[in-house]
């Protein structure tokens, strides 16, 4: 146990944190004024803060704690591995048992024909690897002009230089003069926000055909890959209309362009199958994973490589000059094996598909009649509530984001972590959440929406 535990008063912890800790994705001016929320314990879907408050983790950490917090089996597996071999690398033709076992396990869980995994330590690094790998692949194929990667506006692919560039977050691009050259962004399939007068199905076709237009404009001979999340997560749980992915498949069917699925959120069970690509019938060439692979107990990510590409690397490749010190780290691999073992033994993916996802859909359907809710959508254990001033015309509040922030803060006060993306309220709970816990979540969200409405009226915003 560290010297600094929750025996210290919250104020003292906050003061030390403010003195020495620069946080990710944080406005430090306001953080220093308000103080950080100090989380000291996690158990199942529940967190405890330094004042002893119990809070439901409606975001599963950052979309990653599939099996819930505090499972001793993972701690034990990691401790055992650390005593045996705490670190060795996987460079230069070396390996170790945990990474061997994990690779076989992932190949078994992944759909055919993904039988090879390239390891990294995060989703961002997975996508950096994708960028390097697809460009290298086309060089090997004798097509060095195929370098452009098409992605979507408002996609999230990480925070490194490649991740930010591949992603479509304009505020992130503005810091650091990004994107790097060779990334082309197209419209996203966000019907509620951008669908105009089109029906969802027609809008799904419209958005997919933006890919076709881009290919026509840039030229297939210059395009390496199209990369996308099956469902955009950080962008606001953008569930594409049913027509979208089939049309993307049709467009790519007769093109020599790689398809990359960023499954950092949708991988490992969140949509009720081991991989989101299965849910949408997508057959990508590369699949980026991270998060749920270890349920966040230790950092690990990877790229699942289609047999066709793996064979090109093996037979035509020579050395791929890419890799990081902690690729396939033994303790992280042990955590991943323990996590995936729990998921298999306890039928966690089936629980999502048959129990938790239908229940969450029902809970959201029950919230759709609230006067602040313009749309309540779910897929698997991802959900979004669009907050609007009135129905049914999809008009937004002025100063987008203010209402979401107010709602999020009220949510915390009611003991539930719910994330705000602009004025969409997002939930992505641990996959092991029970129907009773989902009922509690629904009741709490309704109360939060009522309190948010009252607060908006008090402030003259509604
Ligand atoms: N791809 C996707 C689809 C992601 O959601 C990454 C890549 C990058 O993974 P790493 O491990 O490098 O963070 C992500 C990560 C949020 C939030 O607030 C979302 C992510 C990370 C941090 C915060 O929604 N997604």
């Amino acid at each position: 146990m560290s010297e600094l535990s929750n025996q210290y008063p919250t104020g003292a912890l906050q003061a030390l944190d403010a003195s020495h800790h620069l946080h990710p994705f944080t406005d430090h001016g306001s953080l220093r004024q308000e103080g950080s929320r100090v989380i000291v314990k996690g158990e199942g879907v529940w967190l405890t803060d330094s004042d002893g408050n119990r809070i439901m983790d409606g975001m599963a950490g950052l979309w990653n704690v599939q099996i819930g917090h505090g499972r001793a089996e993972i701690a034990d597996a990691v401790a055992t591995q650390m005593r045996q071999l705490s670190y060795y690398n996987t460079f230069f033709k070396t390996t170790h048992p945990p990474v061997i076992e994990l690779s076989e396990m992932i190949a078994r869980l992944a759909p055919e024909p993904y039988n090879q995994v390239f390891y990294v330590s995060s989703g961002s690094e997975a996508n950096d690897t994708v960028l390097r790998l697809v460009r290298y692949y086309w060089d090997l194929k004798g097509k060095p002009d195929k370098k452009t990667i098409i992605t979507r506006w408002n996609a999230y692919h990480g925070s490194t230089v490649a991740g930010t560039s591949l992603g479509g977050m304009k505020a992130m691009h503005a810091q650091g003069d990004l994107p790097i050259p060779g990334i082309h962004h197209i419209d996203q399939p966000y019907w509620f926000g951008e669908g105009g007068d089109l029906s969802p199905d027609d809008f799904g076709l419209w958005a997919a055909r933006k890919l076709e237009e881009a290919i026509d404009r840039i030229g297939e001979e210059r395009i390496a890959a199209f990369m996308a999340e099956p469902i955009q997560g950080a962008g606001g749980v953008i569930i594409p209309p049913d027509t979208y992915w089939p049309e993307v498949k049709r467009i790519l069917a007769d093109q020599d362009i790689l398809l990359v699925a960023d499954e950092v959120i949708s991988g490992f069970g969140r949509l009720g199958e081991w991989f989101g690509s299965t849910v949408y019938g997508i057959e990508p060439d590369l699949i980026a994973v991270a998060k749920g692979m270890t349920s966040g107990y230790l950092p690990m990510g990877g790229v699942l490589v289609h047999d066709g590409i793996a064979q090109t690397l093996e037979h035509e490749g020579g050395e791929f000059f890419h890799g990081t010190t902690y690729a396939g780290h033994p303790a992280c691999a042990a955590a991943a094996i323990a996590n995936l073992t729990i998921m298999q033994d306890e039928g966690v993916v089936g629980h999502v598909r048959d129990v938790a996802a239908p229940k969450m859909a029902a809970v959201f359907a029950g919230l759709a009649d609230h006067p602040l809710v313009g749309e309540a959508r779910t897929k698997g254990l991802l959900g979004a509530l669009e907050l609007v001033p009135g129905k049914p015309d999809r008009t937004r509040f002025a100063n987008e984001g203010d209402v979401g922030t107010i709602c999020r803060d009220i949510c915390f006060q009611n003991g539930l972590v719910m994330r705000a993306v602009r004025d969409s309220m997002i939930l992505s709970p641990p996959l092991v959440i029970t129907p009773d816990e989902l009922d509690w979540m629904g009741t709490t969200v309704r109360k939060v929406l009522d309190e948010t409405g009252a607060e908006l009226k008090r402030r003259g915003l509604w």
Side-chain angles (χ1 to χ4, degrees):
M1 174 66 84
S2 116
E3 218 179 297
L4 288 177
S5 74
N6 52 329
Q7 290 146 24
Y8 278 69
T10 299
L13 292 170
Q14 287 171 327
L16 279 175
D17 186 72
S19 301
H20 304 296
H21 182 186
L22 284 174
H23 293 241
F25 280 90
T26 292
D27 172 343
H28 286 90
S30 68
L31 177 85
R32 298 308 182 226
Q33 274 169 16
E34 292 166 28
S36 303
R37 190 171 291 104
V38 184
I39 303 297
V40 296
K41 189 174 157 63
E43 202 175 7
V45 302
W46 297 96
L47 303 166
T48 308
D49 74 11
S50 51
D51 294 326
N53 297 309
R54 256 179 124 227
I55 307 163
M56 181 186 274
D57 186 3
M59 284 303 297
L62 284 177
W63 324 74
N64 57 343
V65 186
Q66 318 297 69
I67 60 167
H69 298 274
R71 292 290 299 251
E73 299 93 317
I74 311 250
D76 291 344
V78 170
T80 302
Q81 179 56 43
M82 286 237 175
R83 288 196 184 91
Q84 174 75 22
L85 176 71
S86 54
Y87 174 74
Y88 200 70
N89 68 72
T90 53
F91 282 42
F92 317 132
K93 299 183 185 165
T94 52
T95 190
H96 48 70
V99 83
I100 296 168
E101 183 181 339
L102 177 61
S103 305
E104 189 278 329
M105 207 170 188
I106 291 177
R108 196 158 26 83
L109 296 175
E112 277 298 319
Y114 307 93
N115 287 298
Q116 318 255 339
V117 194
F118 189 100
Y119 291 100
V120 290
S121 304
S122 67
S124 299
E125 289 172 349
N127 289 327
D128 278 50
T129 301
V130 163
L131 182 132
R132 296 205 52 202
L133 196 54
V134 299
R135 290 181 170 175
Y136 174 52
Y137 171 82
W138 287 117
D139 285 345
L140 292 175
K141 286 286 176 197
K143 297 187 175 177
D145 292 336
K146 282 175 81 68
K147 291 287 155 67
T148 299
I149 300 176
I150 299 176
T151 60
R152 284 110 38 105
W153 291 116
N154 197 38
Y156 191 82
H157 296 302
S159 185
T160 51
V161 169
T164 303
S165 297
L166 291 163
M169 302 291 177
K170 289 181 182 165
M172 289 175 75
H173 289 169
Q175 296 174 340
D177 300 317
L178 300 169
I180 56 170
I183 316 283
H184 182 89
H185 297 88
I186 59 172
D187 289 278
Q188 58 175 336
Y190 180 24
W191 177 77
F192 191 86
E194 299 174 3
D197 294 336
L198 294 177
S199 69
D201 279 355
D202 285 346
F203 179 71
L205 294 174
W206 177 90
R209 288 174 191 159
K210 289 289 161 184
L211 174 61
E212 197 162 39
E213 284 171 33
I215 296 170
D216 288 346
R217 201 158 358 98
I218 299 166
E220 182 250 286
E221 70 285 356
R222 295 182 53 219
I223 300 172
F226 172 57
M227 174 182 208
E229 303 153 85
I231 292 175
Q232 289 151 260
V237 180
I238 313 284
I239 302 169
D242 289 342
T243 50
Y244 182 76
W245 277 112
E247 184 68 359
V248 168
K249 263 181 85 169
R250 181 196 66 75
I251 291 163
L252 290 179
D254 45 4
Q255 303 278 359
D256 211 7
I257 292 172
L258 299 178
L259 175 61
V260 182
D262 181 345
E263 295 231 30
V264 168
I265 286 179
S266 61
F268 300 106
R270 180 146 301 278
L271 302 185
E273 296 282 348
W274 281 97
F275 291 90
S277 294
T278 310
V279 175
Y280 281 104
I282 312 168
E283 292 163 3
D285 297 282
L286 298 167
I287 301 177
V289 294
K291 295 193 189 275
M293 188 172 175
T294 60
S295 281
Y297 282 69
L298 284 176
M300 192 170 222
V303 179
L304 276 54
V305 179
H306 187 287
D307 284 352
I309 294 188
Q311 276 155 24
T312 300
L313 293 179
E314 189 177 329
H315 300 304
E316 299 162 47
E319 183 166 348
F320 180 34
F321 298 109
H322 175 65
T324 52
T325 303
Y326 300 116
H329 190 290
C332 302
I337 293 165
N339 172 55
L340 298 176
T341 302
I342 287 175
M343 287 185 68
Q344 289 177 93
D345 290 354
E346 298 179 8
V348 171
V349 180
H351 169 75
V352 174
R353 187 187 53 233
D354 301 332
V355 180
K359 179 72 190 179
M360 180 143 147
V363 165
F364 268 58
L367 295 166
D369 68 347
H370 194 279
L372 272 177
V373 174
E375 183 179 73
R377 56 175 182 266
T378 66
K379 184 92 174 172
L381 281 185
L382 291 176
L385 299 168
E386 298 275 6
L387 302 190
V388 293
K391 311 186 200 195
D393 62 359
R394 316 204 308 272
T395 317
R396 310 312 305 229
F397 283 103
N399 286 334
E400 228 186 0
D402 288 358
V403 170
T405 306
I406 291 168
C407 182
R408 184 201 57 200
D409 291 348
I410 291 173
C411 204
F412 252 114
Q413 289 154 22
N414 280 279
L416 172 66
V417 180
M418 178 162 64
R419 190 150 137 34
V421 176
R422 300 175 302 275
D423 292 334
S424 305
M425 305 313 298
I426 306 301
L427 286 163
S428 166
L431 306 190
V432 293
I433 193 165
T434 64
D436 283 352
E437 287 165 338
L438 282 161
D439 272 332
W440 184 89
M441 179 193 267
T443 308
T444 304
V445 171
R446 179 165 284 278
K447 177 164 178 275
V448 165
L449 291 171
D450 289 344
E451 289 179 22
T452 301
E455 179 64 17
L456 294 179
K457 286 193 173 129
R458 200 181 63 75
R459 296 195 197 186
L461 295 172
W462 193 36

